[in-house]
Amino acid sequence: MSQLLSGKTALILGVSNRWSLAYAIAQAFTREGAKLILTYQGDRQKRTVEELGAELKAHQILPCDVTKDEELTRLTEELKSQGAVLHSVVHSIAFGDLSKTVAQTSRDAFGVAMDVSAYSLVAVARAVAPFMPPKEQGGGSIMTLSYLGATRVVENYNVMGVAKAALEASVRYLASDLGPSNIRVNAISAGAVKTVSARGVRDFSKLLEAAVHVSPLRRNTDPAEVADAAVFLASDLGRGVTGNILFVDAGMQIMGFARSEQ
Ligand code: NAP
């Protein structure tokens, strides 16, 4: 069977555990023949990500807290010292305090959510772009993970919805800025999936239930489906796609009011 990412190197940020969407993406990229470089945030996660990386046969595991410019600089210095070439980069990172409504969110909490969940894509894109092949050799693909709360009010998603709106706008501007270098920038808007980050959304289980009753496919999103969409965007099959928000959510985003009967 052909391997869609054979000969390509991918940097994946955001593998935290087996439930992480980034882990599913890393599994799919390995299946398709990509050489992986993974990052982790802080010493707390080092061992877990190293263990997962070993299972995935990752080429390298490097530290990177995306809120620290010095860590991004260290990452690029390490890549430079190896003469690394990156064909794709997956940004699967978010953090915010979702315990308050947007109206009650403090300046600090708003800033943290925006910094970690939106600005970090800009910082990462700037850091990795010089490692992507020149345009005549195909350029590269950068992708991030978003959610419906960027454009619709989803109860309890709160400040993360605002951050995802900024993230999606950043995808479009970055796609325009980097397009002349044939670097494509896209987001996958995933349906609700039970992960550690998702636990920060109050009554998250209601979102999972709603998808089963309301989404056109009448089921939840499987992380493997998100991962296969990521393979498409990273591969040559996605070569004409940039600045796009690709929904992988069992169709949930097209629905208006929920049905009263199932
Ligand atoms: P996850 O496993 O908790 O992944 C979130 C990742 O962000 C973790 O690896 C976390 O690292 C990392 N992170 C947070 N702050 C960071 C920082 N300062 N520097 C570097 N890494 C940092 O949860 P997930 O659901 O897979 O989330 C991945 C992405 O998918 C997020 O953007 C999320 O918003 C998006 N998404 C999720 C869903 C869903 O329903 N699960 C739906 C749509 C979109 P630590 O573990 O070390 O903190």
Side-chain angles (χ1 to χ4, degrees), residues 69-212:
D69 285 338
E70 61 277 17
E71 293 212 6
L72 279 163
T73 303
R74 221 178 332 136
L75 177 72
T76 54
E77 279 167 359
E78 180 62 35
L79 294 171
K80 205 174 186 176
S81 72
Q82 299 169 18
V85 174
L86 300 177
H87 301 89
S88 61
V89 173
V90 178
H91 169 281
S92 186
I93 285 174
F95 176 76
D97 176 1
L98 314 189
S99 65
K100 305 258 186 345
T101 62
V102 170
Q104 291 169 335
T105 296
S106 69
R107 193 184 297 273
D108 279 355
F110 192 98
V112 167
M114 286 295 230
D115 187 21
V116 182
S117 316
Y119 180 72
S120 65
L121 176 69
V122 176
V124 166
R126 189 169 53 241
V128 300
F131 296 95
M132 296 194 142
K135 66 176 174 188
E136 51 288 349
Q137 286 171 32
S141 167
I142 298 174
M143 71 194 80
T144 187
L145 275 296
S146 191
Y147 179 61
L148 184 60
T151 51
R152 302 273 190 277
V153 174
V154 175
E155 213 178 343
N156 299 325
Y157 202 57
N158 298 337
V159 72
M160 192 53 69
V162 181
K164 291 299 190 194
L167 179 74
E168 292 188 3
S170 303
V171 163
R172 290 185 282 275
Y173 279 89
L174 287 168
S176 171
D177 291 347
L178 301 177
S181 303
N182 209 13
I183 295 175
R184 300 178 290 107
V185 186
N186 293 287
I188 297 173
S189 184
V193 174
K194 208 171 175 178
T195 63
V196 170
S197 286
R199 279 198 220 142
V201 183
R202 191 152 52 88
D203 290 336
F204 183 75
S205 58
K206 286 190 184 160
L207 292 179
L208 296 173
E209 274 168 41
V212 172

